[in-house]
Amino acid sequence: MNKLRQRQYLRRIDTLFGTAWRAAPLLATACVLVALGSSVLTLAYPLGFRAIVDGAAAHQQGRIVAGLVIVAVTFPGAWILQLVGGSLNSRLTDLTNLRVGTRIGALASAAPYLEHFERPDYLAEIDNLRERRRTLAGAPAQTLGLLRTAVQFVGIAVLLALVWPPLIVVPMLAAVPAWADRRGAQVEKRSDDDLADPRRLVGELFALTSTAAPARELRTFGVTDALLRQHARLGDEVNARSLRAARMAALWEGAGWIVYAAGFGVGIVLLVLRAAHGAASPGAVVEVVSLLRRAQRQVTGASSTAGSFATASATATRMMWLEDYVAATTAGEQGPAPSALTSGITFDDVSFTYPGQEVLAVRDIRLTFAAGSTVAIVGENGAGKSTLIKLLTGMYRPDSGRITVDGQDLAEVSAEQWRTAVTGAFQDYVRFLMALGDSVGAGDLPRIDERAAVLGALRRAGAGGLVEETEGRPAELADGLDAMLGPYIGGRSLSGGQWQRVALARGLMREHPLLVVLDEPTSSLDARSEADLFERYRTEALRLAKANGAITVLVSHRFSTVHMADTIVVMDDGKIAEMGDHATLMASGGVYAELFTLQAAAYK
């Protein structure tokens, strides 16, 4: 247990300070030296004040001159070092913040599954970590502030003891407001944790009413004002609860400061009484008042810094939690994905429930995708199609049963290795705001700069017209693959169909995938374009099947586009309702035949 605590302690130290040291070791060293230098100079100039006052009272010109020299050197010196220290600390925090943000992104991406993005409690932890990453990055600067305060407090205590030992009690009372501030910070942290979900909703409502994507639909249905009212109402509720927590924290902090102020006042009164009876010199009174005022300012700064450091420490705990979560999900020896498929992919009695849910999303799934085959998965909304795809692509592991690839359990295959063997296009595709060539090339990073490969993917996706002349029509993007996409960054605005073709091209970048997933790949295309594109898919699927036994999985609501598949899987309420080729399913007169006939009648 002691070793475990020691390891956790060292991890916390590394999380709080190690990142800054690795980001800029020389800058971190300079920050420490400047902080110590400013602390020493700050302690020195009250001694100069005492020398000046006592020298004047005793008519000793030498003491007056010495005091003036001390003040002239230490007062501006301390001020300059504080300014320099503030600038250096800000620069160190900026560099560390970049490292921390990169670390958070790397960890969130390293987790092989999507649980941390879909479980509310995990999502709250990650949101808090992301929002407070700068506070965590500022931990070294906050610690230097506390170190500077500690050095000055020790120095102040020594100097006060030389004047009158009981005065040491006054700076020691600073522990009371420091403790009270920590209690206040704990109150606010609990409030922040409780308000994580409502704050996300407030942010989402604001984004809905202030961004371009939902603007047309909101105006069409006239719901903008209603959303704004909901945003205001929910925002008021969040602010009210946050304000209650802030008031409670302020009560704790105020009570601590009252205790310190009482001690400060008593100390000054007693010292003045001693001076009136000749037990202390006028210069000593000036020195003590200056030191106690300095102690008061240090307490104010230290209380604020301690609160920030407490927040940074809590954020470090969240970072350690994320590291542990990623380590747990990536633990164990996992092998490579096969280089080719010979038998196929099998679902062996697979069931799965989403984290935090009680109802099974899919259950008792038993099916085999033969190597080299084209498989279509159809069904109504909520039937379990997308869940099946998530399991197939390794985004989740089954709760029971297993998925095998050529007989090897997918759980024993490295998630990273499996994903290099998987490609596809999804209905919730990403609109990368970058150059067209990079947006498509992201589908196969090692070949992102191979313009011939990128252009080939665009052609296979039916998007060659974006960058080259077709049937006598000029290219739609004059800058070709270098054209920036997205008006938000000053680039070209694409239609929904064009964006979808770009996403499709990205999914066709990999040369030899084992699994190609096309999840509603033509939802933004017209019927003619859809028919043309599926003919291209068929040709590509045949090429891949011949090369390495690759399986193409197509998910669609449009039954007219899936009849060419070797196997059609009909999902209903998380189960397989029917399975077979088009002719077999039509002959059976089941769900597939009914839905196919309905859609065909609608087209007629």
Side-chain angles (χ1 to χ4, degrees), residues 461 496-498 500-501 504 521-530 533 537 558:
Q498 288 173 324
Q500 188 158 47
R501 286 182 182 274
L504 291 170
T522 59
S523 58
S524 298
L525 302 182
D526 57 73
R528 186 184 300 275
S529 298
E530 180 185 51
L533 199 58
Y537 283 154
R558 300 180 183 178

Side-chain angles (χ1 to χ4, degrees), residues 32-116:
V32 173
L33 295 177
V34 169
L36 293 175
S38 66
S39 299
V40 172
L41 293 181
T42 300
L43 287 171
Y45 68 77
L47 297 177
F49 290 153
R50 177 175 181 173
I52 293 171
V53 173
D54 285 346
H59 304 287
Q60 296 177 347
Q61 188 174 1
R63 293 182 68 182
I64 296 174
V65 171
L68 289 172
V69 170
I70 292 174
V71 173
V73 172
T74 59
F75 191 84
W79 180 71
I80 291 172
L81 286 181
Q82 286 179 5
L83 290 178
V84 171
S87 177
L88 294 178
N89 286 334
S90 178
R91 175 62 177 161
L92 181 62
T93 300
D94 288 341
L95 293 174
T96 307
N97 185 47
L98 180 61
R99 286 286 190 99
V100 170
T102 302
R103 175 66 173 159
I104 294 171
L107 286 170
S109 300
Y113 312 119
L114 300 179
E115 184 177 11
H116 57 297

